[in-house]
Amino acid sequence: MIRLAGILNVTPDSFHDGGRYGSAPDAVAQGMALWEAGADWVDVGGESTRPGAAEVSPEEEAHRVLPVVQALAERGVAVSIDTTRPEVARRALAAGAVVVNDVMGLRAPGMLEVIAEAGAGAVIMHMRGTPRTMQDDTRYEDVVTEVSDFLAAQIERARAAGVSQVWADPGIGFGKDLAGNLALLGRLGELEGLGAPLYVGASRKSFIGRLSGGVPTEARLPGSIGAALAAVEGGAEVLRVHDVAETRQALAVYCGARGLPLSPGRSP
Ligand code: HH2
């Protein structure tokens, strides 16, 4: 079943929606809009991971996301919390989130335990280094093999710790150059052997701009839909996107033609 996670960044500096939903009421309204457009989860983040973004304190991150997570969960929205910090994850799960989306791939001490104790799901993403250092060295002997080996090890750790629902994400744009991003998208099928459903976030990322004569993030919806379709062709089951309604429309056609099941979304 192909599903969508709608992106909701409660940050001043995210590369696409930074500053748009900085207040909790605006963020909740956008979360509801994503949900009603057919998202299966709304993915709430409080710290930008774009290269060079300012680090925020755990308190500030929690202060940004917790009221939004709680309000959306109270309205029946399935919320995933996009964080690398176990303490923020723990508090977001207590506030009603059901999945932890960790761009550090559960590397922080204690993260696995927090997720297992809450009985939550986990998105395990590959990133080389940290958001601050990830673009310093984007050379790989074989990017697909390196990503696959990391994900396999972390999936095994998560399952051993008792996390039953895990998704594997190659981390498009996280410590990869254009060739690396295209290799991961184009050879996504090689990750199917991991035995975890594949989760892909390519929406409006810079490689799309690079492939399209430098178009800015606001003009990258067509390329984002192209990336979403390429990901589904490679076996992705979850697409993390800014534009739920538009992606859903493209998928309705693509999945209909290919005979692939598309989730109707969880909004009543
Ligand atoms: N990409 C971003 C953030 N979280 N999580 C997963 N699982 N996969 C991704 O590809 C991914 C992610 C970066 O995008 P965005 O949230 O739009 O921007 P920012 O990090 O600037 O807030």
Side-chain angles (χ1 to χ4, degrees), residues 67-234:
V68 178
V69 169
Q70 181 164 355
L72 290 174
E74 278 170 6
R75 288 163 174 75
V77 174
V79 175
S80 60
I81 177 70
D82 186 346
T83 188
T84 61
R85 293 184 166 122
E87 186 52 20
V88 175
R90 190 187 60 71
R91 294 173 67 186
L93 292 169
V98 292
V99 171
V100 176
N101 172 24
D102 183 358
V103 299
M104 295 287 286
L106 312 182
R107 278 184 275 157
M111 185 60 115
L112 263 180
E113 292 71 16
V114 163
I115 299 171
E117 263 164 40
V123 181
I124 302 174
M125 199 197 80
H126 173 273
M127 164 171 33
R128 190 188 254 178
T130 69
R132 271 25 89 183
T133 62
M134 65 187 181
Q135 292 307 119
D136 292 353
D137 180 8
T138 55
R139 287 164 306 169
Y140 295 80
E141 194 159 309
D142 179 48
V143 66
V144 180
T145 306
E146 188 166 324
V147 166
S148 179
D149 289 350
F150 170 82
L151 291 174
Q154 296 304 81
I155 290 167
E156 196 179 312
R157 283 186 61 222
R159 295 221 165 109
V163 180
S164 53
Q165 178 68 76
V166 295
W167 290 267
D169 183 336
I172 300 289
F174 285 87
K176 288 101 187 175
D177 59 13
L178 177 59
N181 288 318
L182 289 175
L184 286 166
L185 258 187
R187 292 167 56 197
L188 200 61
E190 293 177 37
L191 302 181
E192 284 191 288
L194 290 168
L198 300 176
Y199 186 111
V200 173
S203 186
R204 295 185 182 267
K205 286 190 174 167
S206 63
F207 81 101
I208 297 172
R210 230 156 269 150
L211 287 169
S212 329
V215 293
T217 58
E218 310 81 66
R220 293 181 193 157
L221 176 58
S224 302
I225 290 177
L229 301 185
V232 172
E233 189 185 359

Side-chain angles (χ1 to χ4, degrees), residues 7 9 11 13-15 17 43 47-50 82 101 103 123 125 169 171-172 174 199-202 205 240 242:
I7 300 172
N9 287 311
T11 60
D13 56 351
S14 287
F15 78 91
D17 58 356
D43 187 44
E47 182 179 32
S48 174
T49 51
R50 74 182 162 78
D82 186 346
N101 172 24
V103 299
V123 181
M125 199 197 80
D169 183 336
I172 300 289
F174 285 87
Y199 186 111
V200 173
K205 286 190 174 167
R240 180 181 180 275
H242 297 92

